[in-house]
Structure formats: structure tokens, C-alpha cells
């Protein structure tokens, strides 16, 4: 996966990365080409050629994060209208077929999502052990948009109201939302950058446009300043204790 340079995405990422009295918010809006090269190509071949699998196999996804009754329930006041942007090839299918599409992902697409995470966080984190259960398909763009807007508003406040339209117009310009499939990643709670101590909330969404062979990755995390300060104090105490111990040895 290759990161595509885009000054507008860089600008909105910077603008939405803000320090508040409560937390530090880090936002990344990045576009990746699905053309494989280097380590991504090696991983693609490795996962594609696993015994008993095919790139066209459908794998079971985890439950939708935005439509889960427990997701962001403390922030969502009134439910938004149910406007669906389904998988493009599902529009002429029956409801049963659409249900199957919503719950599964082609193995090839799954590899693209994993490769995007690897490209975004290398060399600090590695996602090759992820399975389809770590991802979900989000079929309701309006609900997803409301979730993200609400999350930013609750953390940044009115400052975000003037930025919301800019964010979504920039995203649409780069990826064409109506022609994209949307997926989310659920942190595993132990080994990824969203499972670190002190994270108040985070989200990870992928907009995959097959025609463009491109994925737009929208991710954000809020780190508690209290946790950061406590960690700094612990480090200072540790350094002090080490110094005292060193002096005792010298004596």
C-alpha cells in the first residue's frame, strides 16, 4: 500500500489534531493506493496463498460498530435517518443477499485493510495476525457521519461546527463516498495503538473505492492528559529512585 500525497487531507488532519484541557486529539485522514509493493506485496502473497483459501473467499465480519446499541450511546441523543449506502454490487440483489454482503468481506479486500493498517503504523505495530472478525462493514453512511461529528463536537466543541463540512467534502472529493464500501476496525484491546493506557476513545474507518483502487483511512484517538501526567510523574519518581540508589551504591 502506498500513501498518496494530498495537501487537503494533510491540512484537515492537522486542523483536527487539537490539544484540549482534558485530552490530546490526534486525527489522521490518509489516502492509500491498493497497488502492492515491497513488504505489502510480500504480505499480500503470503495471506493470499494460505492453504485452503482463495482471494475471492468470503469471510465473516464482526458486528457493525456504528449500529451497535452500545456504541457511543452516551453521545447519541436522537437517532439519525436510516439512509443506506450499500455495497455497489448489492443494489440489485435481494434483501437476503444484501444481508450476506453486509456480514462478509472478500479475502482480497480484507488483505487490503490489514495492509493499510500496517502501512499507517509501521514499524511500531503489525496487524498481519488480524482476522475478519476484527473488522465490520458499515452500511449506513449517515449514521457513521453523525457518530463521528458527535464525537468531535463532544471533545472540541463549537470549533468543529465550521470544520465538519470541510472534513466531509474533502473525504468525498478524494474517495467518492457513494461509490465506496465502508469498513471499521475494532481494536483488539492488547497489542495495537488504540489499546494503549490512557486512551479515552478512538475510531477507525476505511472507505474503499474499487474503481479507484484506493482506500481512504480516517482514524482518531483521544489521549487523556491525566493519564499522561501520571505517567510522567511515575517516570520522574523512577528516575529519582534510580538516582538515590546509585548514590547509595557510590557511598
Amino acid at each position: 500500500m502506498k500513501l498518496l500525497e494530498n495537501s487537503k487531507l494533510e491540512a484537515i488532519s492537522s486542523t483536527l489534531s487539537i490539544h484540549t484541557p482534558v485530552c490530546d486529539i490526534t486525527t489522521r485522514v490518509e489516502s492509500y493506493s491498493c497497488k502492492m509493493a515491497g513488504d505489502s506485496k510480500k504480505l499480500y502473497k503470503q495471506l493470499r496463498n494460505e492453504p485452503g483459501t482463495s482471494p475471492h473467499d468470503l469471510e465473516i465480519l464482526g458486528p457493525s460498530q456504528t449500529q451497535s446499541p452500545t456504541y457511543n450511546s452516551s453521545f447519541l441523543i436522537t437517532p439519525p435517518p436510516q439512509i443506506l449506502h450499500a455495497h455497489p454490487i448489492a443494489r440489485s440483489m435481494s434483501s437476503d443477499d444484501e444481508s450476506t454482503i453486509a456480514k462478509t468481506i472478500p479475502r482480497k479486500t480484507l488483505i487490503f485493510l490489514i495492509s493499510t493498517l500496517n502501512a499507517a503504523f509501521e514499524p511500531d505495530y503489525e496487524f498481519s495476525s488480524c482476522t475478519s472478525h476484527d473488522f465490520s462493514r458499515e452500511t449506513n453512511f449517515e449514521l457513521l457521519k453523525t457518530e463521528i461529528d458527535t464525537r468531535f463536537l463532544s471533545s472540541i466543541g463549537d470549533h468543529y461546527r465550521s470544520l465538519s463540512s470541510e472534513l466531509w467534502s474533502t473525504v468525498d472529493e478524494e474517495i467518492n463516498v457513494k461509490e465506496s464500501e465502508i469498513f471499521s476496525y475494532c481494536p483488539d484491546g492488547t497489542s495495537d495503538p488504540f489499546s494503549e493506557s490512557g486512551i479515552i476513545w478512538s475510531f477507525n474507518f476505511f472507505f474503499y473505492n474499487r474503481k479507484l483502487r484506493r482506500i481512504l483511512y480516517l482514524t482518531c484517538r483521544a489521549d487523556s492528559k491525566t493519564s499522561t501526567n501520571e505517567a510522567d510523574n511515575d517516570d520522574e519518581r523512577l528516575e529519582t529512585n534510580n538516582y538515590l540508589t546509585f548514590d547509595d551504591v557510590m557511598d
Side-chain angles (χ1 to χ4, degrees), residues 19-241:
H19 302 291
T20 76
V22 177
C23 63
D24 294 327
I25 298 174
T26 304
T27 304
R28 296 171 62 180
V29 191
E30 299 172 342
S31 184
Y32 290 86
S33 167
C34 291
K35 183 177 180 180
M36 295 295 182
D39 291 340
S40 295
K41 190 172 184 178
K42 292 179 182 178
L43 173 65
Y44 178 74
K45 289 183 176 179
Q46 174 188 333
L47 296 178
R48 184 190 62 184
N49 296 326
E50 284 186 354
T53 67
S54 161
H56 305 293
D57 289 345
L58 293 179
E59 301 197 11
I60 302 297
L61 288 163
S64 168
Q65 293 189 55
T66 59
Q67 298 186 51
S68 167
T70 60
Y71 181 86
N72 204 22
S73 58
S74 61
F75 289 141
L76 199 58
I77 299 174
T78 56
Q82 299 293 305
I83 301 176
L84 299 181
H85 294 284
H87 183 305
I89 67 172
R91 289 171 185 160
S92 61
M93 295 181 174
S94 68
S95 59
D96 289 341
D97 289 332
E98 289 185 11
S99 177
T100 300
I101 288 291
K103 296 176 182 178
T104 60
I105 183 173
R107 183 170 177 78
K108 183 176 181 179
T109 303
L110 174 63
I111 295 172
F112 285 157
L113 299 186
I114 294 173
S115 297
T116 298
L117 286 172
N118 278 342
F121 294 101
E122 63 181 359
D124 298 321
Y125 294 92
E126 220 278 338
F127 296 83
S128 300
S129 61
C130 286
T131 70
S132 59
H133 297 287
D134 297 314
F135 299 88
S136 58
R137 186 186 294 274
E138 307 301 337
T139 58
N140 190 327
F141 171 68
E142 293 300 324
L143 179 56
L144 177 147
K145 178 178 177 295
T146 297
E147 296 282 5
I148 293 175
D149 285 344
T150 304
R151 183 89 29 131
F152 275 128
L153 280 169
S154 68
S155 301
I156 301 175
D158 289 341
H159 175 64
Y160 178 71
R161 296 187 186 279
S162 60
L163 298 175
S164 176
S165 59
E166 181 182 350
L167 167 63
W168 295 114
S169 63
T170 303
V171 167
D172 193 45
E173 180 180 330
E174 174 65 13
I175 203 67
N176 193 337
V177 172
K178 289 185 178 180
E179 292 187 359
S180 299
E181 301 169 66
I182 306 175
F183 300 92
S184 58
Y185 167 70
C186 181
D188 64 12
T190 57
S191 61
D192 60 37
F194 309 99
S195 304
E196 297 173 353
S197 174
I199 294 184
I200 302 173
W201 55 260
S202 67
F203 60 71
N204 295 270
F205 295 105
F206 307 82
F207 296 76
Y208 173 40
N209 189 311
R210 291 177 181 270
K211 292 181 181 179
L212 297 178
R213 290 183 56 80
R214 182 183 304 167
I215 288 178
L216 184 137
Y217 178 44
L218 171 57
T219 179
C220 185
R221 58 184 278 177
D223 294 270
S224 169
K225 285 192 171 180
T226 301
S227 176
T228 302
N229 291 336
E230 289 176 351
D232 291 341
N233 291 336
D234 288 342
D235 290 340
E236 290 176 5
R237 285 194 293 270
L238 179 60
E239 291 174 2
T240 301
N241 290 338

